[in-house]
Structure formats: structure tokens, C-alpha cells
Amino acid sequence: MRRSQRARQTRSTILDAASRAFSEQGFQGASLDEIAVRAGVTKPTVYAHFGSKEGLCEALVVGWMERSAEVELPRFAADQDLREVLIAYAIAHVGDVLDPDHLGLLRAVTAEMIRRPEWSAELMGSLPDKGLAPWLRDADAAGALAVDDPERA
């Protein structure tokens, strides 16, 4: 296996182990030592890939958010059934959120984001908005919906 493939595989293995540990024990309860053992790597390897426990958690959140952002609304059109489009979009997101493998991780990350709002704001601000806000801006501009703050909505 080539070095870059091996590094990607190691990174993926660490992320899987961290997801399980954070899901089961929360961010505060999970240790990098335990995550390294679960992943079958050394603690310095975890640091080499992610820099810190926070960096590891951020990588999990960013990966989850990027996958979530892949669910895109169709371009806004005045003749769309707005209710139908929004319900389909919500179902696509709720299915992922309620997946048992992700639910515990979501709880752990949400608790940490509440504890550290500055980290949450920085992390959320770095993600591209390919979903709801642009669609809401277009719907507002067309007069189909009244949306004062599409990003917040």
C-alpha cells in the first residue's frame, strides 16, 4: 500500500474510533489514549494526524457537515411546491441525524459546542453553505416566502 493510501486509511480508522469513543463517553470522557488503542495506533500517530483532541473532533464534525451539505435543495423555482421541497430536504437531513451510529456523536459534539460557543461559531462559519440559506434567499427575493435572515433560519 502506498504511503498516502496508508495515511488516509490510518486517518479513517482513527476517525471511526474517535466517533465511537465520543459517542459512548462524550467529548470530555473520551481520551486520546483510548482512541489510539481502539484505532490500533499510537497516541503520537493521533497527534500527527489531528494535532489535538479538539482537532480530531473538528475533523469529525467537518466530515459530517460536508456529507450533510451534499444534500442540496433543487434550485428555487416559483412553481415549486415549497412545502414538498422543504419536507424532502428535512427528511434527507433527519435520516442522517437519527442514524444510531451518528446520534451519540451528535450529542457529544453538541454538548461541547454549547460548552465552547466560540469554537462552535468558528467551526460552523468555516463550512460552505450549499443548502437551505441560498434557497431561502432566492425564495425571499421571489416573494414566495418572507425570510428576514436566511442564514439564521
Side-chain angles (χ1 to χ4, degrees), residues 22-127:
F22 291 150
S23 180
E24 293 167 8
Q25 300 167 340
F27 179 81
Q28 295 297 317
S31 73
L32 286 182
D33 288 318
E34 178 187 353
I35 291 167
V37 168
R38 286 180 180 222
V41 300
T42 64
K43 189 173 175 180
T45 300
V46 176
Y47 278 112
H49 281 271
F50 299 100
S52 65
K53 187 170 152 180
E54 289 80 6
L56 180 53
C57 188
E58 285 178 26
L60 284 168
V61 172
V62 167
W64 184 74
M65 294 298 287
E66 286 174 348
R67 286 187 303 278
S68 180
E70 291 173 3
V71 177
E72 292 187 48
L73 283 164
R75 291 187 61 99
F76 174 79
D79 63 342
Q80 288 174 318
D81 180 337
L82 302 182
R83 183 175 186 270
E84 191 175 297
V85 170
L86 290 173
I87 287 173
Y89 182 74
I91 288 170
H93 283 283
V94 169
D96 191 37
V97 169
L98 295 180
D99 180 321
D101 292 335
H102 294 111
L103 197 54
L105 176 61
L106 182 62
R107 284 187 194 116
V109 169
T110 301
E112 191 61 18
M113 288 179 152
I114 289 168
R115 195 176 78 75
R116 296 176 32 196
E118 72 288 347
W119 178 66
S120 174
E122 179 183 324
L123 183 59
M124 299 307 277
S126 70
L127 298 171

Side-chain angles (χ1 to χ4, degrees), residues 76-78 82 135 138-147:
F76 174 79
L82 302 182
W135 190 88
D138 292 345
D140 181 66
L145 292 173
V147 184

